[in-house]
Amino acid sequence: MRTNQIRTKLAAGQPVINGWLAIPSSYSAEVMGHQGFDSVTIDLQHGMIGIDAALSMFQALSSTPAVPMARVPWNDPAQIMRLLDTGAYGIICPMISTVDDAVSFVSSCRYPPKGQRSFGPARGLLYGGADYYPHADREILTFGMIETRAGLDNLEAILAVEGLDGIYIGPNDLALALGAVPRSESDDPVVKEAVKHICERTKAHGKIAGIFCSSGEAAARRITEGFQIVTPGNEVALMSMAAKAAIAAARGAKAPIAAAGNGY
Ligand code: 3PY
Ligand code: MG
């Protein structure tokens, strides 16, 4: 089976830069996959993407070096298994708040006896290789999103769930849950402390600490804080920031504008 290069990079102590797709287009997936991201996540939660568009986006990503992942809309076994069969090499699952959530999520990603994933790897075989079945449990990554107060309260028990490879912080939802304004890089001390705590505890359990960010600069700061996989904004934010900067330059702006993107 094709090796999961995210695991390889992390084992070598290198951070993983993860692209994020919200636009339902195989062409933009292909373009993003060729830009140097280590992995690219197709977002079926807040992205405007359904399973049919995701299929062609996975096919497009196959022509690039980026490891294909998906964020599922919810902790729903049917959706998770379908995206794995479509060729996802990692699943990011929103709103993991309890041990039961984490156990169910991991179980959807693993074949018996470890889990309850139903057999029918379809396109997973084409991307992963003919020997997909015996190795899929080893290669496919599971990231639970910690972004609720309950998730934070139950963090230790969630991190103890076998087969959960890592945590991906959803900083906007986490900020909301802690009574702050939803922002990827919150100044609120309670949110900052929570983010730091989640990163430290995840690594103490030998698991992967990931976080969504709003820009390349923010992602670089998160790496210095200890995060191992970071997303420097989604493609909508990157596109809108570049467009605003180009328009400002065309209008004769003297200094580059600090444009805020329209991504989440
Ligand atoms: C969040 O910030 O809550 C996310 O889920 C990132 O998309
Ligand atoms: Mg979220």
Side-chain angles (χ1 to χ4, degrees):
M1 184 176 171
R2 187 196 295 245
T3 303
N4 190 332
Q5 293 298 327
I6 298 178
R7 288 194 186 277
T8 310
K9 272 209 106 162
L10 292 173
Q14 293 167 355
V16 169
I17 312 300
N18 174 53
W20 199 273
L21 303 178
I23 300 173
S25 162
S26 57
Y27 180 46
S28 59
E30 188 178 22
V31 170
M32 289 285 281
H34 278 293
Q35 299 313 311
F37 289 110
D38 301 305
S39 57
V40 171
T41 297
I42 300 172
D43 182 10
L44 287 87
Q45 185 190 22
H46 293 299
M48 302 292 105
I49 300 169
I51 185 73
D52 293 351
L55 168 61
S56 59
M57 293 168 79
F58 276 115
Q59 290 168 326
L61 285 175
S62 292
S63 71
T64 81
V67 178
M69 299 211 288
R71 173 164 73 172
V72 287
W74 202 246
N75 191 3
D76 170 12
Q79 303 250 22
I80 293 168
M81 293 184 204
R82 206 151 159 67
L83 282 155
L84 289 171
D85 290 347
T86 309
Y89 253 41
I91 298 286
I92 301 176
C93 184
M95 303 268 174
I96 295 293
S97 297
T98 65
V99 170
D100 285 352
D101 287 347
V103 168
S104 166
F105 166 47
V106 169
S107 176
S108 300
C109 297
R110 306 292 185 224
Y111 287 121
K114 289 186 181 150
Q116 54 157 358
R117 182 176 173 193
S118 173
F119 188 78
R123 200 182 160 271
L125 279 174
L126 303 179
Y127 179 75
D131 58 343
Y132 179 93
Y133 159 66
H135 304 300
D137 287 353
R138 186 194 66 205
E139 295 299 335
I140 285 163
L141 283 159
T142 57
F143 290 99
M145 295 193 77
I146 298 294
E147 50 184 355
T148 62
R149 190 177 284 276
L152 190 55
D153 292 344
N154 295 322
L155 182 66
E156 286 301 315
I158 290 170
L159 285 167
V161 170
E162 204 182 324
L164 185 72
D165 293 304
I167 294 300
Y168 223 93
I169 298 180
N172 290 279
D173 276 315
L174 184 65
L176 264 181
L178 299 178
V181 174
R183 281 181 48 199
S184 291
E185 287 81 34
S186 177
D187 290 334
D188 185 291
V190 175
V191 178
K192 284 170 91 167
E193 182 51 39
V195 168
K196 185 166 175 275
H197 173 70
I198 296 167
C199 182
E200 282 171 4
R201 295 312 304 154
T202 301
K203 292 174 74 175
H205 279 258
K207 302 206 168 182
I208 309 161
I211 188 164
F212 188 89
C213 315
S214 63
S215 68
E217 292 74 14
R221 282 195 296 277
R222 291 303 193 192
I223 292 170
T224 62
E225 290 171 14
F227 284 94
Q228 297 145 296
I229 173 162
V230 292
T231 299
N234 70 14
E235 91 285 46
V236 173
L238 298 175
M239 184 172 72
S240 51
M241 282 193 280
K244 282 177 181 149
I247 293 164
R251 294 199 198 286
K254 295 279 179 290
I257 55 162
N262 291 332
Y264 44 83

